[in-house]
Structure formats: structure tokens, C-alpha cells
Amino acid sequence: MSEESSTFRLFVDDTREIPKGWMGARTVSDTIQFLYKFSPIAEISLDYDILFPQHGIDRYSLYSAENYSGVAYYIAQQSEELKPKKIRIHSSNTGAALQMCQIMGLDFNSTYKLYNAEDYK
């Protein structure tokens, strides 16, 4: 493990501003590439839904068929040595956050917290 990996924090979200001091990933592919290259990383914070606002203003047409659950499956299959040392889920979709915790075998109450920019300072 390199020094860079041990302090690397990855914020995975398609729309929110990337917090200062964090690397950002906007797609599932980019996230998995970061995890592959830098594992084990110090921390990851995951969103769930991927939005496509260009589809119109109807809230339900904003959601893509793709989401970040693929990242949860990728992390779940990693060896314990390669998994991020801390995992957060910050999605506003509570049911999906619960599902992601189940995929990764994590406790929902200690892993999930609705996004608040103050938590990333």
C-alpha cells in the first residue's frame, strides 16, 4: 500500500460538488478504475441514483436506469485488505442506500447519512 492510497478519499456522485480534499468520480466506470488503481483507499462516499436532468423537469424522468450499485458489488467482492477503510453512503434514496449496505455487508445505521456538505469539511 502506498502512502497516497492510504490517504485517498473518493466522493462518488454525479451531480453534487466534490468536497475539498476529495477526489471525485462521476461514473461507475471511473469509480471502479479509481478503486482498482488506488486500493486500499482511506475512504469512499457513495451516492446511488444517477440523474439525467436533460430529459426534462419531471422528477421521475430524471433518473437513469444506471445507478452506483455496481460500485457496491465491486467493493463487496474485494478482499478485506483492498476494501476502502471507511465507507459512507450519502444518497437521498434511503431504500437504495439500505440495499447498498446489504450488498456490502455493512450496518446501515453507521454507514448511511443523508448528504450534508458540512460533513465533508
Side-chain angles (χ1 to χ4, degrees):
M1 171 174 64
S2 71
E3 172 113 5
E4 180 178 306
S5 296
S6 65
T7 61
F8 191 88
R9 297 185 302 169
L10 184 60
F11 187 81
V12 181
D13 197 300
D14 61 318
T15 59
R16 292 181 181 96
E17 185 175 336
I18 307 301
K20 186 176 181 176
W22 290 70
M23 292 297 298
R26 300 289 189 193
T27 67
V28 173
S29 296
D30 285 348
T31 305
I32 291 172
Q33 287 179 23
F34 275 121
L35 290 170
Y36 179 77
K37 183 175 181 182
F38 294 106
S39 286
I41 63 173
E43 186 171 356
I44 190 168
S45 186
L46 296 166
D47 190 13
Y48 176 78
D49 293 303
I50 297 176
L51 305 178
F52 289 110
Q54 70 272 21
H55 288 205
I57 59 170
D58 172 10
R59 177 178 174 202
Y60 297 101
S61 67
L62 296 176
Y63 292 97
S64 162
E66 185 178 13
N67 57 58
Y68 291 111
S69 63
V71 175
Y73 283 109
Y74 182 84
I75 291 171
Q77 64 81 35
Q78 288 184 302
S79 67
E80 288 303 314
E81 300 82 41
L82 293 179
K83 287 182 181 180
K85 300 310 172 201
K86 180 176 180 182
I87 300 171
R88 303 187 205 190
I89 298 175
H90 64 260
S91 177
S92 58
N93 185 336
T94 308
L98 175 61
Q99 178 187 27
M100 289 178 79
C101 285
Q102 291 170 341
I103 291 168
M104 294 183 283
L106 301 173
D107 176 63
F108 176 78
N109 293 319
S110 60
T111 305
Y112 173 74
K113 184 174 182 202
L114 185 63
Y115 175 78
N116 179 342
E118 294 298 313
D119 295 335
Y120 294 87
K121 292 188 176 185

